[in-house]
């Protein structure tokens, strides 16, 4: 349920981001533990029925620091820009570690 709520929040944020994006506006993942499996669970399928590589790619495109900053950087509240960038960087690194631990 947490991941479903997160995906809904992300879709709303991405389709209509606020004019000024602060840290609290970003729909952060509910956890960075096992993010790939969490994101894969949104469709209600078991992770065995999901192409995990596609889920990983989707997640890394969303949370890649350069892509995130390119898309939302101009809207970020200046005083929180570094904090947001650091959080995105942390999420990106967690995704890469999780992918590696999955044997890829």
């Amino acid at each position: 349920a947490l991941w479903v709520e997160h995906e809904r929040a992300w879709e709303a944020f991405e389709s209509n981001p606020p004019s000024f994006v602060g840290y609290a506006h970003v729909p952060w993942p509910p956890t960075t533990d096992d993010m790939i499996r969490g994101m894969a669970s949104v469709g209600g399928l078991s992770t065995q029925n999901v192409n995990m590589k596609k889920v990983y790619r989707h997640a890394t495109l969303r949370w890649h620091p350069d892509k995130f900053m390119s898309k939302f950087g101009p809207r970020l509240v200046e005083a929180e820009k570094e904090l947001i960038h650091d959080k995105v960087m942390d999420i990106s690194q967690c995704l890469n570690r999780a992918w590696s631990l999955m044997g890829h």
Side-chain angles (χ1 to χ4, degrees):
L2 284 176
W3 284 101
V4 172
E5 291 172 26
H6 167 70
E7 284 301 309
R8 284 187 190 133
W10 179 265
E11 287 170 11
F13 172 77
E14 188 175 39
S15 67
N16 190 22
S19 298
F20 298 98
V21 176
Y23 186 89
H25 295 114
V26 180
W28 302 110
T31 178
T32 54
D33 295 332
D34 213 5
M35 282 181 64
I36 298 169
R37 289 195 201 324
M39 290 181 78
S41 71
V42 170
L45 301 170
S46 74
T47 55
Q48 296 161 344
N49 297 331
V50 175
N51 183 330
M52 298 303 272
K53 187 173 184 176
K54 284 185 180 179
V55 174
Y56 170 73
R57 177 153 170 68
H58 175 73
T60 56
L61 288 174
R62 176 183 295 178
W63 295 111
H64 188 282
D66 292 340
K67 301 247 184 250
F68 186 93
M69 296 306 282
S70 173
K71 191 169 201 172
F72 301 109
R75 295 174 179 258
L76 297 182
V77 173
E78 192 62 40
E80 297 183 359
K81 193 175 266 191
E82 186 175 346
L83 178 65
I84 293 168
H85 180 268
D86 290 350
K87 178 73 172 182
V88 170
M89 182 79 79
D90 181 54
I91 292 168
S92 178
Q93 290 170 349
C94 287
L95 281 166
N96 290 329
R97 273 194 303 276
W99 187 246
S100 177
L101 290 172
M102 292 173 75
H104 301 284

